[in-house]
Amino acid sequence: METRPLGETGHESSVLTFGAIALDPLDQPAADEMMDEVLDAGVNHVDVAPTYGTAEVKLAPTLQERREDVFLGCKTQERTYYGAWGELHRSLDRLGVDSIDLYQFHAVTRYDQLDAITGEYSPEMAQGDHDPGALQAFIEAREEGLIDHIGLTSHGDPSLIRSAIKRIPELETVMFPYNATVESLSGPEYDYASVIDLAEEHGLGTLGIKGFAKGPWPEDLPEEERPYQTWYEPYDTTEDLRESLRFALSSGLTTIPNAGDPKLVPHILEAAKTFEPMEAEERSELLYQRRDEDTPVPAP
């Protein structure tokens, strides 16, 4: 599988990152089997989070056996100094590892969250008790060898992500939504292409989430009747999955995670193994086709 430099981290990431949320609904033997299939296919970047149910625990046996094959990304939604420290140690324990390769501020969608992370805002300030913020915990954890690289993930407004890149010089990667539907829409709230450009300017690796998202689930479809365990309705035909992957990876991104349902993983894996860049004319045609679709990116 093709690999690309993950910014200036020194790591070459496979163009497909394994989103380990797909392990959550599986029993442990099935999770182990899926991990072997993914790694044997050439995927070397794995992304997990404590909010992904049992994913950390189910990933742990593979990490025990094949740690050298995995560039491990994990995340925290904690914004405070002590909160970030606590969740980092919990993830290390659940994953059964001594260190995490890429630790990310997870799902940053508001400026007050960014302020809290950087220690520039704290609800306790009124009482004179200032929290140094999660960033300081990340910096110290990196100094102690518990993490190697620092990243941020967001489905928020592109301007927020651009602000984070400028305000946090320690950032080495950013993860954000990108697909043909979003790119076809006009307006600054859809301008994730500018994030790719700014990240490249700053030497950051880029991970594109929701690359296989078709749109929001129909409001009249009960959650228990959805055919896939994903937050959005995914594309699910071989051709659509291949087309979605080719578009995203031909847009300057380093790597994209798979859709979160385990039933889709084999098809996406095959598309990644046979990836060929999409030419400009084909990209333009796909953008035209997707221009009237609903955005799969939720409001912040």
Side-chain angles (χ1 to χ4, degrees):
M1 186 178 298
E2 180 181 327
T3 61
R4 297 176 174 178
L6 185 64
E8 297 176 357
T9 64
H11 175 69
E12 293 272 340
S13 285
S14 50
V15 291
L16 182 68
T17 287
F18 179 66
I21 192 172
L23 301 178
D24 182 42
L26 304 178
D27 60 25
Q28 190 61 59
D32 295 341
E33 183 179 353
M34 175 164 285
M35 285 308 308
D36 281 337
E37 178 184 5
V38 166
L39 297 181
D40 290 346
V43 173
N44 64 13
H45 190 147
V46 175
D47 186 74
V48 71
T51 53
Y52 294 169
T54 60
E56 288 180 316
V57 173
K58 288 175 179 171
L59 179 59
T62 294
L63 293 174
Q64 184 175 2
E65 296 294 326
R66 303 183 63 172
R67 183 66 181 92
E68 70 282 358
D69 296 333
V70 175
F71 181 85
L72 177 61
C74 193
K75 315 169 190 173
T76 179
Q77 288 184 251
E78 295 290 340
R79 312 306 186 200
T80 65
Y81 176 83
Y82 290 108
W85 266 119
E87 189 146 79
L88 171 59
H89 281 293
R90 181 174 182 267
S91 287
L92 289 168
D93 288 342
R94 283 162 61 90
L95 292 163
V97 296
D98 296 325
S99 66
I100 291 169
D101 300 304
L102 174 64
Y103 203 48
Q104 300 151 104
F105 307 109
H106 190 193
V108 182
T109 57
R110 303 195 315 268
Y111 281 94
D112 64 324
Q113 295 173 343
L114 185 56
D115 290 341
I117 286 168
T118 57
E120 298 172 37
Y121 167 79
S122 173
E124 293 80 17
M125 277 187 181
Q127 289 75 42
D129 183 16
H130 173 65
D131 186 285
L135 174 60
Q136 184 59 35
F138 277 40
I139 292 170
E140 293 176 14
R142 186 173 61 182
E143 291 171 351
E144 294 184 19
L146 298 177
I147 67 174
D148 292 330
H149 306 287
I150 295 174
L152 177 142
T153 84
S154 176
H155 62 248
D157 192 288
S159 65
L160 172 72
I161 307 171
R162 295 194 303 268
S163 294
I165 292 173
K166 295 173 183 177
R167 289 175 57 180
I168 306 178
E170 293 83 3
L171 280 184
E172 297 173 83
T173 68
V174 284
M175 180 187 292
F176 51 90
Y178 193 82
N179 57 45
T181 300
V182 173
E183 180 64 10
S184 71
L185 300 173
S186 60
E189 68 271 34
Y190 306 116
D191 188 16
Y192 292 101
S194 68
V195 177
I196 297 176
D197 292 340
L198 186 63
E200 182 177 356
E201 180 183 328
H202 285 253
L204 275 60
T206 50
L207 298 90
I209 54 175
K210 296 181 172 63
F212 304 98
K214 183 176 183 180
W217 285 110
E219 292 184 2
D220 59 352
L221 180 65
E223 185 171 347
E224 62 274 11
E225 295 181 16
R226 296 174 182 174
Y228 300 107
Q229 299 183 46
T230 49
W231 292 302
Y232 51 80
E233 182 178 4
Y235 288 102
D236 59 359
T237 69
T238 298
E239 183 55 36
D240 282 339
L241 292 171
R242 189 181 305 276
E243 192 173 57
S244 297
L245 178 137
R246 292 181 62 224
F247 179 88
L249 289 176
S250 300
S251 304
L253 292 166
T254 306
T255 179
I256 61 172
N258 50 271
D261 193 290
K263 294 191 293 294
L264 296 171
V265 171
H267 306 288
I268 294 173
L269 193 62
E270 187 60 31
K273 288 163 59 178
T274 59
F275 164 68
E276 293 182 358
M278 183 176 281
E279 300 298 332
E281 183 176 347
E282 194 176 357
R283 283 172 52 82
S284 296
E285 175 61 26
L286 184 59
L287 289 170
Y288 182 78
Q289 293 172 11
R290 299 275 182 92
R291 70 194 187 284
D292 295 324
E293 300 292 335
D294 291 334
T295 173
V297 180

Coordinates of all heavy atoms in Angstrom, one line a residue, residues 172-209:
E172 N 1.6 18.8 15.0 CA 2.3 18.1 13.9 C 1.3 17.4 12.9 O 1.7 17.1 11.8 CB 3.2 17.0 14.5 CG 4.3 17.6 15.4 CD 5.2 16.6 16.0 OE1 6.1 16.1 15.4 OE2 4.9 16.3 17.2
T173 N 0.0 17.3 13.4 CA -1.0 16.7 12.5 C -2.3 17.4 12.8 O -2.6 17.8 13.9 CB -1.2 15.2 12.6 OG1 -1.7 14.9 13.9 CG2 0.2 14.5 12.5
V174 N -3.2 17.4 11.8 CA -4.6 17.8 12.0 C -5.5 16.8 11.2 O -5.1 16.3 10.2 CB -4.9 19.2 11.5 CG1 -4.3 20.3 12.4 CG2 -4.3 19.5 10.1
M175 N -6.6 16.5 11.8 CA -7.6 15.6 11.3 C -8.9 16.4 11.1 O -9.4 17.0 12.1 CB -7.8 14.4 12.2 CG -8.8 13.4 11.7 SD -9.1 12.0 12.9 CE -7.5 11.1 12.9
F176 N -9.6 16.3 10.0 CA -10.7 17.1 9.7 C -11.5 16.5 8.6 O -11.0 15.7 7.8 CB -10.3 18.5 9.3 CG -9.3 18.6 8.3 CD1 -9.7 18.7 6.9 CD2 -8.0 18.6 8.6 CE1 -8.7 18.7 5.9 CE2 -7.0 18.7 7.5 CZ -7.4 18.7 6.2
P177 N -12.8 16.9 8.4 CA -13.6 16.3 7.3 C -13.2 16.7 5.9 O -12.8 17.9 5.7 CB -15.0 16.9 7.6 CG -15.0 17.4 9.0 CD -13.6 17.8 9.2
Y178 N -13.2 15.8 5.0 CA -13.0 16.2 3.6 C -13.5 15.1 2.7 O -13.2 13.9 2.8 CB -11.5 16.3 3.4 CG -11.2 17.0 2.0 CD1 -11.3 18.3 1.9 CD2 -11.0 16.2 0.9 CE1 -11.1 19.0 0.7 CE2 -10.8 16.8 -0.4 CZ -10.8 18.2 -0.4 OH -10.7 18.8 -1.7
N179 N -14.4 15.5 1.8 CA -14.9 14.6 0.7 C -15.5 15.5 -0.4 O -15.5 16.7 -0.3 CB -16.0 13.7 1.3 CG -17.1 14.4 1.9 OD1 -17.7 15.3 1.4 ND2 -17.5 13.9 3.1
A180 N -15.9 14.9 -1.4 CA -16.3 15.6 -2.6 C -17.6 16.4 -2.3 O -17.8 17.5 -2.9 CB -16.6 14.6 -3.8
T181 N -18.5 15.9 -1.5 CA -19.7 16.7 -1.2 C -19.4 18.0 -0.5 O -19.9 19.0 -0.9 CB -20.6 15.8 -0.3 OG1 -21.0 14.6 -1.0 CG2 -21.9 16.6 0.0
V182 N -18.5 17.9 0.5 CA -18.1 19.1 1.2 C -17.4 20.1 0.3 O -17.6 21.3 0.3 CB -17.3 18.8 2.5 CG1 -16.7 20.0 3.1 CG2 -18.1 18.0 3.5
E183 N -16.5 19.5 -0.5 CA -15.7 20.4 -1.4 C -16.5 21.0 -2.5 O -16.2 22.1 -3.0 CB -14.6 19.5 -2.0 CG -13.7 20.3 -3.0 CD -12.8 21.4 -2.3 OE1 -12.8 21.4 -1.1 OE2 -12.2 22.1 -3.1
S184 N -17.7 20.4 -2.8 CA -18.5 21.0 -3.8 C -19.4 22.2 -3.4 O -19.9 22.9 -4.2 CB -19.5 19.9 -4.4 OG -20.5 19.6 -3.4
L185 N -19.4 22.3 -2.0 CA -20.3 23.4 -1.5 C -19.5 24.7 -1.3 O -18.3 24.7 -1.0 CB -20.8 23.0 -0.1 CG -21.6 21.7 -0.1 CD1 -22.0 21.2 1.3 CD2 -22.9 21.9 -0.9
S186 N -20.2 25.8 -1.5 CA -19.5 27.1 -1.4 C -19.8 27.7 0.0 O -20.7 27.4 0.7 CB -20.1 28.1 -2.5 OG -21.5 28.2 -2.3
G187 N -18.9 28.5 0.4 CA -19.0 29.2 1.7 C -17.8 28.9 2.6 O -17.2 27.8 2.5
P188 N -17.4 29.8 3.4 CA -16.2 29.6 4.3 C -16.3 28.4 5.2 O -15.3 27.8 5.6 CB -16.1 30.9 5.0 CG -17.4 31.5 5.0 CD -18.0 31.1 3.7
E189 N -17.6 28.0 5.6 CA -17.7 26.9 6.5 C -17.4 25.6 5.9 O -17.3 24.6 6.6 CB -19.2 26.9 7.1 CG -20.3 26.6 6.1 CD -20.8 27.8 5.4 OE1 -20.0 28.8 5.1 OE2 -22.0 27.8 5.0
Y190 N -17.2 25.5 4.6 CA -16.9 24.3 3.9 C -15.5 24.3 3.3 O -15.1 23.4 2.6 CB -17.9 24.0 2.7 CG -19.3 24.1 3.1 CD1 -20.2 25.0 2.6 CD2 -19.8 23.1 4.0 CE1 -21.5 25.1 3.0 CE2 -21.2 23.1 4.4 CZ -22.0 24.1 3.9 OH -23.3 24.2 4.3
D191 N -14.7 25.3 3.6 CA -13.4 25.5 3.0 C -12.3 24.7 3.7 O -11.3 25.3 4.2 CB -13.1 27.0 3.0 CG -11.8 27.3 2.1 OD1 -11.4 26.4 1.4 OD2 -11.3 28.4 2.3
Y192 N -12.5 23.4 3.7 CA -11.4 22.6 4.3 C -10.2 22.5 3.4 O -9.1 22.1 3.9 CB -12.0 21.2 4.6 CG -13.0 21.2 5.8 CD1 -14.4 21.2 5.5 CD2 -12.6 21.3 7.1 CE1 -15.3 21.2 6.5 CE2 -13.5 21.4 8.1 CZ -14.9 21.3 7.8 OH -15.8 21.4 8.8
A193 N -10.3 22.8 2.1 CA -9.2 22.8 1.3 C -8.1 23.8 1.7 O -6.9 23.6 1.6 CB -9.6 23.2 -0.2
S194 N -8.6 24.9 2.4 CA -7.7 25.9 2.9 C -6.9 25.4 4.1 O -5.8 25.8 4.4 CB -8.4 27.2 3.3 OG -9.3 27.0 4.4
V195 N -7.5 24.4 4.8 CA -6.8 23.8 5.9 C -5.7 22.9 5.4 O -4.6 22.9 5.9 CB -7.8 22.9 6.8 CG1 -7.1 22.2 7.9 CG2 -8.9 23.8 7.3
I196 N -6.0 22.2 4.3 CA -4.9 21.4 3.7 C -3.7 22.3 3.3 O -2.6 21.9 3.5 CB -5.5 20.6 2.5 CG1 -6.6 19.6 2.9 CG2 -4.3 19.9 1.7 CD1 -7.2 18.9 1.7
D197 N -4.0 23.4 2.7 CA -3.0 24.3 2.2 C -2.2 24.9 3.4 O -0.9 24.9 3.3 CB -3.6 25.5 1.4 CG -4.2 25.0 0.1 OD1 -3.8 24.0 -0.4 OD2 -5.0 25.8 -0.4
L198 N -2.9 25.3 4.5 CA -2.1 25.9 5.6 C -1.3 24.8 6.3 O -0.2 25.0 6.8 CB -3.1 26.5 6.6 CG -2.5 27.3 7.7 CD1 -1.7 28.4 7.2 CD2 -3.6 27.7 8.7
A199 N -1.9 23.6 6.4 CA -1.2 22.5 7.1 C 0.1 22.2 6.3 O 1.2 22.0 6.9 CB -2.1 21.2 7.2
E200 N 0.0 22.1 5.0 CA 1.2 21.9 4.2 C 2.2 23.0 4.4 O 3.4 22.7 4.5 CB 0.8 21.8 2.7 CG 2.0 21.5 1.8 CD 1.6 21.3 0.3 OE1 0.4 21.4 0.1 OE2 2.5 21.1 -0.5
E201 N 1.8 24.2 4.5 CA 2.7 25.4 4.7 C 3.4 25.2 6.0 O 4.6 25.6 6.1 CB 1.8 26.7 4.6 CG 2.6 27.9 4.9 CD 1.8 29.2 4.9 OE1 0.7 29.2 4.2 OE2 2.1 30.1 5.6
H202 N 2.7 24.7 7.0 CA 3.3 24.5 8.3 C 4.0 23.2 8.5 O 4.5 22.9 9.6 CB 2.3 24.8 9.4 CG 1.9 26.2 9.6 ND1 2.3 26.9 10.7 CD2 1.2 27.0 8.8 CE1 1.8 28.2 10.6 NE2 1.1 28.3 9.5
G203 N 4.0 22.3 7.5 CA 4.6 21.0 7.6 C 3.9 20.0 8.4 O 4.5 19.1 9.0
L204 N 2.6 20.1 8.5 CA 1.7 19.2 9.3 C 1.2 18.1 8.4 O 0.9 18.3 7.2 CB 0.5 20.0 9.9 CG 0.7 20.7 11.2 CD1 1.8 21.7 11.1 CD2 -0.6 21.3 11.7
G205 N 1.1 16.9 9.0 CA 0.4 15.8 8.3 C -1.1 16.0 8.4 O -1.6 16.7 9.3
T206 N -1.8 15.5 7.4 CA -3.3 15.7 7.3 C -4.0 14.4 7.2 O -3.7 13.5 6.4 CB -3.6 16.6 6.1 OG1 -3.0 16.1 4.9 CG2 -3.2 18.0 6.4
L207 N -5.0 14.2 8.0 CA -5.9 13.1 8.0 C -7.3 13.5 7.7 O -7.9 14.4 8.4 CB -5.9 12.3 9.4 CG -4.5 11.8 9.8 CD1 -3.7 12.8 10.6 CD2 -4.7 10.5 10.7
G208 N -7.9 12.9 6.7 CA -9.2 13.4 6.2 C -10.3 12.4 6.7 O -10.5 11.3 6.2
I209 N -11.1 12.8 7.7 CA -12.2 12.0 8.1 C -13.5 12.2 7.2 O -13.6 13.2 6.5 CB -12.6 12.3 9.6 CG1 -12.9 13.7 9.8 CG2 -11.5 11.8 10.5 CD1 -13.3 14.1 11.3

